[in-house]
Amino acid sequence: MRLDRDRIRDLARERGYSLAGLLRSADVSRTAYYSLVRRPSVVPGTVRALARTLGVPAREIFRDDGGSAIERGALRVTEARAICRNAAGASFDGVWHALCLLDLPPIERLQRSLTRGRATPLHR
């Protein structure tokens, strides 16, 4: 899924933000924002910051390009690998799981995270 530039602009305008004001309040650089709206998938932290500043769920600022499940999966693998390259100690499995959860409703994400957490042994 991609960020929906038009939806973000409309939501910002409704809330009295210019795009520059929104990005400043969300602590997202213009360079990062324009890079993200061109990507086929995005990094969750930036999406959350924009959505939180706009006061909407993250899913409200996405555009569904209707890609197939195979295409979405391939994009997730690419994004997960990129995140793992840039985040020392990040596990591919954990990053992959987090990206998959973004497609689910919040209550289902929580339920799955709790199930996954219970299945993971504690390290001492």
Side-chain angles (χ1 to χ4, degrees):
M1 293 173 81
R2 301 175 76 109
L3 281 179
D4 188 336
R5 183 186 312 194
D6 295 331
R7 178 78 174 136
I8 292 169
R9 186 192 65 237
D10 293 344
L11 286 167
R13 204 175 288 145
E14 288 172 12
R15 288 154 177 77
Y17 286 108
S18 64
L19 180 59
L22 167 65
L23 296 177
R24 216 176 7 263
S25 294
D27 198 27
V28 174
S29 74
R30 290 177 65 84
T31 302
Y33 171 76
Y34 285 110
S35 172
L36 290 171
V37 295
R38 287 190 297 270
R39 287 184 180 186
S41 62
V42 294
V43 178
T46 302
V47 172
R48 282 193 307 270
L50 288 169
R52 186 175 43 251
T53 301
L54 290 168
V56 298
R59 69 180 173 273
E60 295 249 345
I61 61 173
F62 281 103
R63 176 179 72 227
D64 187 1
D65 289 340
S68 72
I70 293 171
E71 290 168 334
R72 288 190 308 272
L75 291 173
R76 262 192 220 116
V77 168
T78 301
E79 190 67 29
R81 286 181 180 152
I83 291 169
C84 288
R85 273 194 305 273
N86 295 319
S91 77
F92 177 84
D93 189 47
V95 172
W96 166 264
H97 180 73
L99 292 174
C100 290
L101 289 176
L102 289 175
D103 289 341
L104 302 175
I107 190 69
E108 192 172 340
R109 279 195 299 252
L110 178 60
Q111 289 169 338
R112 287 186 180 204
S113 294
L114 290 172
T115 301
R116 184 178 174 90
R118 283 188 209 112
T120 304
L122 296 176
H123 297 285
R124 293 180 189 239

